[in-house]
Amino acid sequence: MSKIHSEHVFTSESVSEGHPDKVCDQISDAILDACLANDPNSRVACETLVTTDLIVISGEVTTKSNVHWEKIARQVVADIGYNDRSVGFSAEDCKVMLCVHGQSPDISQGVTSGQGLHKEQGAGDQGMMFGYATNETKELMPAPIIFAHKIVEELARLRKAFPRKYSYLRPDSKSQVSVRYKEGKPVKVETIVVSHQHTPDMKKADLNALVRKVAKKVIPAKFMKGRVKYHINPTGAFEVGGPHGDTGLTGRKIIVDTYGGVGSHGGGAFSGKDPSKVDRSAAYMCRYIAKNIVAAKLAEKCEVQLAYAIGVAEPLSVNVDTYGTGAIEDDAKLENVIRKVFPLTPSGIIRTLKLKYPKINGWSYRETAAYGHFGKDMFPWERTDKAGKLRDAAKRHLKKRGK
């Protein structure tokens, strides 16, 4: 059980959709969406690299869909806002290289029902996945990462919605938020860091004022009391950015994508992977479970771990940690409760969360690829529809009052 410090400061960072690594994540997930659109059984492991005036798309893809690779990549880049050739990377002028082949038959037989050593669809790889939830924000997410996401997301919204007013903003940016905790609860934002790519003629005072305005808008007022330290473009300038300033790769922002460093991480990235890859689908299920446990008031904070072997359907282990905040005396008893309420095989996860049919259900994988995979109501793993069932299943294990 993790120790709760009486007082500490925790920091998380986020990056905008124009960050080079996020450009790659969005291209990879847009390609996944295109594959699933006409072939829900597509097997996709799409990796993207971006650098000065170049996009490289690679990986293992088996699909019946007709994928317009180059068109998709250019559209993503244009949507983000890289449309000015003078910044060294633009949707119209960049070169696009394609290096894609089919999925290995050795992997395919393990994740296709009836083809491997086991009858049921097995996991697409070995590994462990984690999910986390906490009641410290309305999204049931850690405060530092949610606040960091909201700052860069709002800056991007303003850049796109009011291009003339904020013409000095370019797509690449990063944020960082430090939050003071007392007795395990967030009480105050201590420091906000924002580095935002800009045009040569930007007035620093304009960016300083904008960042402060955005922070006060997206962070609840109760956390912004007293003095908040700001570091805005602390190097003095950020003109060269995006893929021209830093090579980007798919899957290189795994902590930004999850919980900002709170809890554990299994090491697997998400973007560009179809749901047969448990790196992605099981991590979504872990979040779904943890969020419902917190929503059911069975814990104030909760981490869930699942572990799998490639080709094997049932998880090797289920582990729960409520950090001493649980309504059940022994967290281990939650394992049986979880197994009763949630299907944990790859096929069960895919079916429950409808991971093969995002478009029909009103979301897309591309939408996960910027500003976090968790904490957004549009995604099925963010539902709290199992809270009642969890509470009922856990009734006999609840701590007796007065103990």
Side-chain angles (χ1 to χ4, degrees):
M1 183 180 72
S2 301
K3 181 180 178 182
I4 297 177
H5 302 288
S6 60
E7 190 168 341
H8 70 284
V9 176
F10 194 89
T11 302
S12 295
E13 73 157 350
S14 181
V15 298
S16 74
E17 63 205 62
H19 186 282
D21 294 331
K22 283 285 135 200
V23 173
C24 294
D25 286 343
Q26 289 167 91
I27 292 172
S28 292
D29 271 340
I31 287 170
L32 171 61
D33 286 326
C35 291
L36 293 176
N38 294 309
D39 182 6
N41 295 314
S42 295
R43 298 285 164 72
V44 182
C46 181
E47 312 292 345
T48 304
L49 175 149
V50 295
T51 188
T52 303
D53 277 336
L54 176 65
I55 300 171
V56 179
I57 301 169
S58 63
E60 301 78 47
V61 178
T62 301
T63 185
K64 295 176 183 176
S65 293
N66 184 20
V67 179
H68 302 284
W69 310 87
E70 183 174 336
K71 182 180 179 181
I72 291 168
R74 292 189 189 279
Q75 187 61 58
V76 169
V77 172
D79 291 346
I80 291 168
Y82 285 112
N83 298 302
D84 180 357
R85 65 184 63 182
S86 70
V87 302
F89 185 77
S90 70
E92 186 177 348
D93 296 331
C94 66
K95 298 182 288 293
V96 179
M97 293 179 59
L98 183 63
C99 308
V100 175
H101 58 85
Q103 184 182 51
S104 160
D106 297 337
I107 296 174
S108 179
Q109 69 178 2
V111 296
T112 303
S113 297
Q115 288 190 11
L117 293 178
H118 304 274
K119 185 177 180 181
E120 188 175 351
Q121 174 183 344
D125 203 351
Q126 69 178 45
M128 63 283 189
M129 300 83 210
F130 292 89
Y132 183 86
T134 172
N135 65 1
E136 63 192 57
T137 62
K138 65 182 178 62
E139 297 88 355
L140 302 189
M141 286 285 288
I145 187 65
I146 277 291
F147 298 163
H149 284 326
K150 287 184 176 182
I151 288 172
V152 283
E153 188 170 17
E154 176 63 8
L155 286 167
R157 188 192 71 79
L158 293 172
R159 171 176 59 85
K160 292 178 177 181
F162 305 100
R164 295 185 67 178
K165 184 175 183 179
Y166 300 110
S167 60
Y168 57 87
L169 295 180
R170 286 174 171 169
D172 191 3
S173 66
K174 301 177 81 170
S175 64
Q176 190 167 284
V177 177
S178 302
V179 176
R180 180 168 296 280
Y181 284 75
K182 289 185 179 180
E183 303 300 333
K185 299 292 183 182
V187 294
K188 184 185 181 302
V189 170
E190 292 282 315
T191 308
I192 293 172
V193 181
V194 173
S195 294
H196 207 300
Q197 186 187 14
H198 59 85
T199 60
D201 61 351
M202 184 199 73
K203 296 177 182 177
K204 190 168 183 181
D206 290 342
L207 182 61
N208 287 348
L210 178 60
V211 168
R212 284 171 167 81
K213 180 180 177 181
V214 165
K216 289 175 182 177
K217 176 184 176 181
V218 301
I219 299 175
K222 66 180 180 178
F223 297 114
M224 297 292 284
K225 293 177 181 178
R227 181 171 177 264
V228 177
K229 298 176 187 174
Y230 287 88
H231 297 284
I232 302 169
N233 280 16
T235 67
F238 186 9
E239 293 180 29
V240 179
H244 182 48
D246 185 14
T247 298
L249 295 167
T250 297
R252 203 160 58 175
K253 285 290 175 284
I254 61 175
I255 300 303
V256 171
D257 284 344
T258 52
Y259 308 101
V262 176
S264 306
H265 198 295
F270 299 153
S271 290
K273 296 178 180 178
D274 76 84
S276 73
K277 279 77 171 170
V278 285
D279 273 352
R280 184 172 210 163
S281 54
Y284 290 170
M285 179 55 84
C286 287
R287 164 64 176 172
Y288 185 41
I289 296 168
K291 187 173 183 181
N292 274 274
I293 286 172
V294 173
K297 301 190 184 306
L298 294 177
E300 294 179 20
K301 57 183 70 176
C302 178
E303 181 178 89
V304 175
Q305 184 206 51
L306 297 175
Y308 292 86
I310 189 168
V312 179
E314 291 291 340
L316 307 182
S317 63
V318 180
N319 185 64
V320 189
D321 187 352
T322 64
Y323 301 88
T325 69
I328 294 175
E329 287 193 31
D330 186 356
D331 285 345
K333 291 178 180 177
L334 272 173
E335 178 186 338
N336 290 332
V337 172
I338 287 169
R339 288 183 182 273
K340 286 179 182 178
V341 175
F342 298 92
L344 302 179
T345 64
S347 62
I349 293 171
I350 291 167
R351 183 175 61 253
T352 300
L353 299 179
K354 299 179 174 62
L355 297 179
K356 286 186 179 182
Y357 306 96
K359 187 176 180 181
I360 294 173
N361 292 285
W363 60 281
S364 69
Y365 281 103
R366 181 180 166 185
E367 289 173 297
T368 70
Y371 314 116
H373 291 244
F374 308 116
K376 302 174 187 175
D377 289 342
M378 72 183 80
F379 301 135
W381 50 90
E382 293 297 313
R383 300 190 311 254
T384 54
D385 55 332
K386 300 293 185 185
K389 284 188 177 180
L390 272 171
R391 191 78 187 178
D392 290 343
K395 266 181 184 176
R396 67 189 184 91
H397 300 301
L398 295 176
K399 293 176 183 177
K400 293 180 180 178
R401 296 191 181 195
K403 285 191 76 175

